[in-house]
Amino acid sequence: MTFFACNEPRRLGHRRRSAASAIFQAIVILLLSTATQAVTLEDIKVEGVEGKKLDNVLAKLDLTSVPPDKKFTEATLAYQLRGIPRQVSSALEPFGYYSAEVTTETVRDGEKVTVQIQISLGEPTRVRQSLVELIGEGSGDEVLAPLIKNFRPKTGKIFDHARYEASKAEIQRTFLARGYFRARSDRARVEVERATQRADIDLAWKTGRRHVFGETTISGSQLRDGFLRPLIPYKEGEFYNQAELLKLHRAILELDYFGLIDIQPDLRRERRAARQGATDAAAASGQKVGDEEEDEDEEQVDTAEPPSVPIKIEVTPAKRSRYSAGVSFGTDNGAALRLGLDRRWVNERGHKLKADAEVGQRRSQIGVQYRIPELVNLPGWWNAGLSLRQEEIGGRTSDIGIASVARTARWRGNQLAAEFNVHKERYEQATDELQGGNSDTFLVYPALRLDRVKADDLLYPQRGYSLSAYVRVGSTALGSDIDFAQAGLSGKWIRALGDDYRLLLRGEVASTWVDDFSRLPPSLRNYAGGDRSVRGYGYQELGPLDLLGEAAGARHLAVASAELERNISEQWAVAAFVDAGNAFDESGFEPAVGVGLGLRWRSPVGPVRVDVGHGLDQPNQVVRIHIGIGPEL
């Protein structure tokens, strides 16, 4: 009996456990069967926002980072959907929308699921009040004041985080550019009231004192000591301005002596000097300055002299000799092979030597040039050069030798050149007997030239222009065979019209005054027609003809061009153009007109232009292809 009584309860407990186990197993099986019903994400559709807001929403959604072939369980999908409102709200807050309403819906096609997100932006949060101020010496700075006054977003405007951060960053960059190296934030608080859609901005900086230029040190130069110092545009003790360092960097870069140029304010050295000043001031007053107090004490030290920052210039020499070789082609001058040697510095005084040679279909030449830098008075170069070339001009061959001495300089954004040339030219010329004969002319003439280029991008400008002007005067009093004078002016103007169009205008005029035009060598005469002149006509085709029907050149020149270019992709564009002009003598000006279409390619080495032009003034004028490589300006 005892045994039975004891075993009966055990059998009952066993049955109960068996029933519970069965129920548990059923639940597990049901869950497992549900978990195995996997789905894939087909698409995510977002409505209610566009542009940058849409981009930021998609970037914030966790679902957008899911691979297309990833399988979801229903539980995982539900978890992802619950997180969407929070992620969308986080994506919209930087644009000033703190009360957006988000609803989600799924559309199923078998195992494929499309998630649809509907967004209602609601009212944006606007700036109720904005207090932005500077404390200290910088509060009166004429450059910083407009940045504080125009801080964005302004009162009443949407509290856009990007504008807010950009305004802060611009002020902080200007602190460094103007020499407020000890500027620090005093207050930086933004309070957003979601219930009222209002934001209050409270910002303040302690600027500290403005630094002045300290000692400038130069290291790494292969040139003699003090060579670069005349280029320094500031004086020690003047207020620091980063623009002066950029100007110095450009001046050193244009010399082409160095492969690396680093110009920086030596802030570590300045901080060490500031700490030492704080320590000395504390010692004089009987106080002890600890490490944790030094930075704070730097702000409190007030001396009669403003703090100074040393300037450190580190340069690395470029490769001393540069060799070049290349092949060029243009419809004006044909194909050519070019070789060159550029000796960046000959000695420690920075002298340069350059030699080049060219062998081409229509022009071959060899030249050498020696350059001496002038960095003190109107910085630039003294140049002495000799060149010999044979060139086809107007259908005839000229042998030309020129020896020249020149002084070049940059002045107020202009490139100036004053030259003295000795010019010897032998050229073919038709005679009265309708025969070709050789003529020789020896010229001695000074010349002045001015060039100016201003553009937002030299390779592919959206806004820019170039101007070039020259004057030459030759006189028998100097040893020339003839008296003559020449002047010319040319210019180009480029302006973008929206995002896809550019307008390019070009013009050139030139005149020559000489008693005996036949004695003026062809290389100094005026011609029209070709890639850089009137397209649709051959190179130097336009103008008066000689007795044998070849281009004779003219005393005067007038050419104009208008071109409209349209982008068809990031690297390609098409263009339509109209060119007009001619070379002429006193008998009268009759412009020839050429029209055509072109293709443009923005290659890694510069624009490549292919034009198809047709001249309208001659019935039998053929269609011509013009190819040009290089910047428009």
Side-chain angles (χ1 to χ4, degrees), residues 574-609:
V574 293
F577 62 85
V578 177
D579 297 345
N582 215 327
F584 59 99
D585 292 321
E586 277 73 10
S587 58
F589 174 57
E590 296 181 1
V593 178
V595 298
L597 301 174
L599 184 65
R600 307 288 182 261
W601 174 43
R602 301 181 200 175
S603 77
V605 296
V608 176
R609 300 175 294 278

Side-chain angles (χ1 to χ4, degrees), residues 382-401:
W382 289 98
N383 303 274
L386 176 65
S387 67
L388 302 172
R389 76 176 188 267
Q390 185 177 79
E391 184 174 3
E392 183 180 314
I393 304 174
R396 300 184 183 280
T397 301
S398 291
D399 295 319
I400 306 165

Side-chain angles (χ1 to χ4, degrees), residues 132-146:
V132 183
E133 61 179 349
L134 300 179
I135 303 170
E137 187 175 302
S139 60
D141 192 297
E142 60 183 10
V143 175
L144 287 170

